[in-house]
Amino acid sequence: MIFRLLQSLTLAAALSLSAVFAHAQEEPKKFTVAWSIYVGWMPWYYIEETGLMDKWAKKYGIDVELVQINDYIEAINMYTAGRFDAATMTNMDLLTIPAASGVDTTALITGDYSNGNDAVVLKNGDSMEDIKGRDVYLLELSVSHYTLARALESAGMTERDITVVNTSDADIASAFNDPAVQASTLWNPQLEEVLKHPDAVKVFDSTEIPGEILDILAVKTETLEANPELGKALTGAWFEAMSIMNADDAEAKAAKQMMAAAAGTDLDGYQVQLDATELFYTPQQKLDFLTSEQAEKTMSFVTEFSFRHGLLGEGAPAPDAIGIELPDGEIWGNKNNVKMRFNNHFTQMAADGEL
C-alpha cells in the first residue's frame, strides 16, 4: 500500500514537473529595446502604442518590449551594461560607447540621417566666424560636439578657438535663455525650442554634412545572430510604420500627431523636424543610401573625431583601432577588433518581401 502511494506521488510529481517544463518552453523569448525622444525615433513610440510591435513579435514567436528612456546617453550606457538587448543611438555614439567598451554591436536599422536636425546657434552673430572666442554650450563628446567640430572646420577654425561648456540635453534648451549663453550646439526637439528665442541665429546645421549623422537602432551582435527572429520582427514593424507615415491619408496624419504629442510638440512642429530628417521610408531607400562606400566615407570622419577626443577606448593607437564591418561584409579598420557592424540583411529581406 505504501509502495503504491509513493509510486502515485512520484508519478504526480513527474507530471507536475513536466507541466512546468512544458509551460516554460511555451513562454516566448523576451527582448527589451531602449529608445529616446528624437524625431527619427518617435516611430518606436507609435509602434509600441499601436500594437505593431506585438503583431510582428507574435509573428516570429517572441516578445519585444520597447522602453522609453528620457536620458539619451544613459539609455546607451544601460544598453552597454547589458540592461537592454537593443537601443537607439547615432553612429558616432554606437562607435564610442558600446563598441569602444568591447560590446559587439550591429546597426540593424539605419532609419535616417540628420539633414538639419543638428545645428550651431548664436546670439549676436550671423556666421560661424562669429563664434570665435565664445563659450559653446553642448553635450560634450556627443554628436553635437561632432557637429561643432565639423562646423569649425568649415570656417577654418578648430576647438582651440572656442571653449566647450558641457550641458546635458535635458538642460540645453533652457540654458539658452540665460543672457550669458551666446552659443550652443544641439539637436531637435531642443533645437526647435532654442530657435524661438528672438536673438537666435542658426549659423551651421547638418545639411552641410549630409549622411554623416546616422540615426540607428543598434542590437547586440551576439543576440541578433542567435535570434534572427528579433531582427525580422523589429525590421518588419519599423518599415510598416514607415509605410503608414509615408502615405497621404488620415492614418498618416494621425500617426504623426501621436508622435508629435509624445515628443512634446504639435503636428506642425513635428513636421518641421521631419523636414530636417532624411527618413528612409522604404527598405530600398535605405539599401540605396547605405552602401559600403557611403558607410566607409561617413565613418572615416567619425573615427577621426573620436580618436582626437580619446573616445575609442584606452590606448587606442589609431582612428581605425575598432574594426567596422561594412554592409558588404568587408572589414574597415582593425580586423582583429570588429565591434561595430552595418547589417543590410534584414532590410534586404524587407525589400524582397520576405518578412
Side-chain angles (χ1 to χ4, degrees):
M1 185 71 176
I2 294 175
F3 173 75
R4 287 183 180 177
L5 179 59
L6 289 173
Q7 191 177 42
S8 298
L9 289 172
T10 301
L11 178 60
L15 289 171
S16 178
L17 284 171
S18 296
V20 170
F21 289 138
H23 178 71
Q25 289 174 347
E26 290 171 3
E27 287 292 320
K29 289 183 181 178
K30 184 172 182 177
F31 303 94
T32 54
V33 179
W35 68 274
S36 303
I37 289 181
Y38 172 71
V39 56
W41 295 325
M42 293 314 298
W44 291 114
Y45 172 81
Y46 177 79
I47 288 166
E48 176 73 2
E49 291 299 308
T50 59
L52 277 180
M53 192 69 260
D54 289 340
K55 167 189 166 182
W56 281 90
K58 183 178 180 181
K59 178 177 180 178
Y60 290 105
I62 60 175
D63 183 8
V64 179
E65 182 183 7
L66 302 175
V67 182
Q68 180 186 336
I69 304 295
N70 291 330
D71 188 312
Y72 166 66
I73 293 296
E74 181 58 22
I76 304 174
N77 289 335
M78 291 168 74
Y79 161 83
T80 302
R83 295 275 300 277
F84 291 95
D85 300 295
T88 54
M89 60 191 79
T90 68
N91 52 322
M92 192 190 97
D93 294 322
L94 193 166
L95 175 74
T96 61
I97 303 178
S101 300
V103 179
D104 194 327
T105 297
T106 294
L108 173 67
I109 298 172
T110 301
D112 67 83
Y113 65 79
S114 175
N115 200 28
N117 271 317
D118 298 81
V120 180
V121 182
L122 302 183
K123 295 174 187 169
N124 302 311
D126 56 14
S127 71
M128 269 305 299
E129 285 73 14
D130 294 325
I131 203 172
K132 190 169 184 177
R134 298 195 188 194
D135 292 340
V136 183
Y137 289 70
L138 53 78
L139 181 58
E140 193 171 12
L141 306 180
S142 70
V143 291
S144 288
H145 201 156
Y146 175 80
T147 301
L148 173 65
R150 295 288 279 135
L152 289 167
E153 182 182 308
S154 73
M157 292 184 283
T158 71
E159 289 181 57
R160 291 189 295 272
D161 294 299
I162 53 91
T163 300
V164 168
V165 179
N166 188 28
T167 311
S168 77
D169 57 321
D171 298 330
I172 193 87
S174 59
F176 198 78
N177 292 320
D178 186 334
V181 177
Q182 295 289 305
S184 185
T185 307
L186 65 170
W187 62 75
N188 270 319
Q190 293 91 336
L191 173 62
E192 181 188 355
E193 287 302 308
V194 161
L195 290 176
K196 293 176 183 177
H197 192 286
D199 298 326
V201 177
K202 182 169 61 175
V203 294
F204 182 93
D205 67 30
S206 52
T207 60
E208 299 184 56
I209 49 171
E212 292 187 27
I213 301 175
L214 304 174
D215 298 315
I216 286 167
L217 178 69
V219 184
K220 286 186 171 64
T221 300
E222 183 180 14
T223 300
L224 188 61
E225 289 178 346
N227 304 278
E229 61 272 21
L230 176 62
K232 294 176 183 178
L234 289 169
T235 304
W238 177 262
F239 281 111
E240 181 169 351
M242 290 297 100
S243 177
I244 291 169
M245 288 179 67
N246 198 34
D248 185 18
D249 57 20
E251 186 179 18
K253 182 177 180 180
K256 293 175 186 178
Q257 285 176 324
M258 181 184 291
M259 295 178 215
T265 186
D266 57 17
L267 183 58
D268 289 340
Y270 188 61
Q271 189 61 54
V272 168
Q273 296 176 39
L274 279 175
D275 291 342
T277 308
E278 192 65 30
L279 270 170
F280 305 128
Y281 286 105
T282 69
Q284 194 59 53
Q285 285 177 336
K286 186 255 188 175
L287 293 170
D288 290 343
F289 172 78
L290 197 62
T291 62
S292 290
E293 293 75 14
Q294 177 62 47
E296 184 174 341
K297 176 184 175 183
T298 292
M299 294 310 298
S300 66
F301 290 113
V302 173
T303 53
E304 286 286 349
F305 170 85
S306 302
F307 178 68
R308 288 199 308 272
H309 289 81
L311 301 178
L312 298 182
E314 189 175 345
D320 60 356
I322 296 173
I324 300 173
E325 184 177 324
L326 302 174
D328 63 3
E330 290 294 314
I331 304 299
W332 184 71
N334 188 347
K335 293 180 174 58
N336 297 317
N337 187 36
V338 180
K339 298 298 179 185
M340 179 174 182
R341 304 172 193 269
F342 288 99
N343 187 320
N344 276 349
H345 173 70
F346 296 95
T347 303
Q348 187 66 61
M349 291 184 70
D352 294 339
E354 295 177 356
L355 291 182

